[in-house]
């Protein structure tokens, strides 16, 4: 346990360990105003995949939270992007860079599921250190982070994807280590 860390171990019946959701509460409210969903897509010494059971859990959790909290803005995050992200990059106008080709992630149905969840406005992934693009589709932003740390591969300048949730919109951008801001995007909720 780490001070101010809100990640939790997910259901033991699912692949991986970090499948969970985190309600975000307002400053003076006991009602959730947003929800962050996390899926474990593996990596390192763990198989790189998102299973059908994880997708089913995501959909079920989303609908339970929709009944409990109402239609609050949501974010989905996982480590390895599905190949449809790169396909989208090559079809629509995106910001940022695609410098590493995305290898197939075993995740049949994940992309379609993402598109079917209307209050998930941002999906953010990592894994490919030299990718930091954001692509719009169906009132969503599908984004990759950027190489933020000093470990792993890559010689590009370090930066991190910043996400700011507000009542009527979300904003995201890359904040570089030298404090420059790249690719600032604003997405208004439906």
């Amino acid at each position: 346990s780490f001070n101010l860390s809100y990640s939790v171990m997910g259901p033991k019946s699912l692949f991986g360990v970090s499948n969970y959701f985190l309600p975000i509460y307002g400053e003076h409210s006991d009602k959730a105003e947003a929800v962050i969903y996390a899926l474990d897509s593996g990596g390192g010494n763990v198989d790189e995949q998102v299973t059908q059971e994880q997708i089913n859990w995501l959909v079920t959790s989303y609908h339970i939270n929709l009944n409990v909290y109402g239609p609050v803005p949501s974010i989905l995050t996982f480590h390895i992007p599905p190949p449809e992200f790169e396909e989208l990059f090559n079809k629509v106008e995106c910001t940022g860079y695609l410098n590493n080709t995305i290898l197939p992630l075993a995740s049949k149905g994940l992309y379609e599921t993402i598109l079917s969840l209307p209050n998930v406005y941002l999906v953010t992934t990592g894994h490919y250190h030299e990718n930091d693009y954001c692509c719009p589709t169906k009132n969503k932003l599908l984004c990759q982070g950027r190489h933020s740390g000093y470990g792993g591969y890559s010689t590009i300048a370090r930066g991190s994807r910043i996400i700011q949730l507000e009542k009527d919109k979300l904003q995201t951008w890359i904040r570089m280590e030298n404090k420059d801001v790249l690719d600032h995007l604003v997405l208004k909720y439906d």
Side-chain angles (χ1 to χ4, degrees):
S1 165
F2 295 96
N3 191 24
L4 298 178
S5 173
Y6 294 97
S7 61
V8 296
M9 301 289 280
K12 291 182 180 187
S13 61
L14 296 178
F15 167 80
V17 295
S18 56
N19 301 289
Y20 63 94
F21 63 86
L22 178 65
I24 307 297
Y25 295 91
E27 183 178 6
H28 302 289
S29 173
D30 59 354
K31 181 180 181 286
E33 295 185 15
V35 178
I36 298 173
Y37 295 90
L39 289 177
D40 193 333
S41 58
N45 294 327
V46 178
D47 289 343
E48 296 177 357
Q49 65 179 342
V50 173
T51 66
Q52 187 60 53
E53 290 77 15
Q54 288 172 279
I55 294 170
N56 294 345
W57 171 86
L58 174 63
V59 170
T60 299
S61 298
Y62 174 87
H63 287 291
I64 289 170
N65 288 333
L66 188 61
N67 287 332
V68 172
Y69 305 123
V72 298
S74 299
I75 295 172
L76 172 61
T77 184
F78 50 97
H79 183 212
I80 304 171
E84 291 91 349
F85 277 38
E86 184 173 338
E87 293 169 15
L88 186 63
F89 183 89
N90 293 318
K91 288 181 185 173
V92 303
E93 187 174 332
C94 303
T95 63
Y97 299 99
L98 173 68
N99 294 320
N100 297 126
T101 299
I102 295 174
L103 300 174
L105 172 71
S107 61
K108 186 176 180 183
L110 177 61
Y111 183 73
E112 294 79 9
T113 298
I114 290 168
L115 297 182
S116 76
L117 302 174
N119 298 313
V120 174
Y121 291 103
L122 175 69
V123 180
T124 183
T125 64
H127 191 61
Y128 296 101
H129 297 185
E130 295 184 354
N131 293 348
D132 66 1
Y133 61 82
C134 249
C135 297
T137 186
K138 300 186 187 269
N139 203 38
K140 299 177 187 314
L141 293 174
L142 308 182
C143 304
Q144 286 211 260
R146 187 182 176 96
H147 191 208
S148 59
Y150 287 87
Y153 69 91
S154 184
T155 58
I156 67 169
R158 285 175 289 283
S160 291
R161 177 156 305 282
I162 306 298
I163 302 163
Q164 182 173 312
L165 287 169
E166 300 176 32
K167 294 233 184 255
D168 62 342
K169 66 185 179 232
L170 72 79
Q171 299 185 61
T172 185
W173 60 91
I174 298 292
R175 176 70 174 217
M176 300 300 292
E177 186 175 41
N178 69 4
K179 299 190 175 33
D180 286 349
V181 172
L182 306 177
D183 302 324
H184 184 246
L185 296 170
V186 177
L187 179 70
K188 293 187 182 265
Y189 309 134
D190 284 339

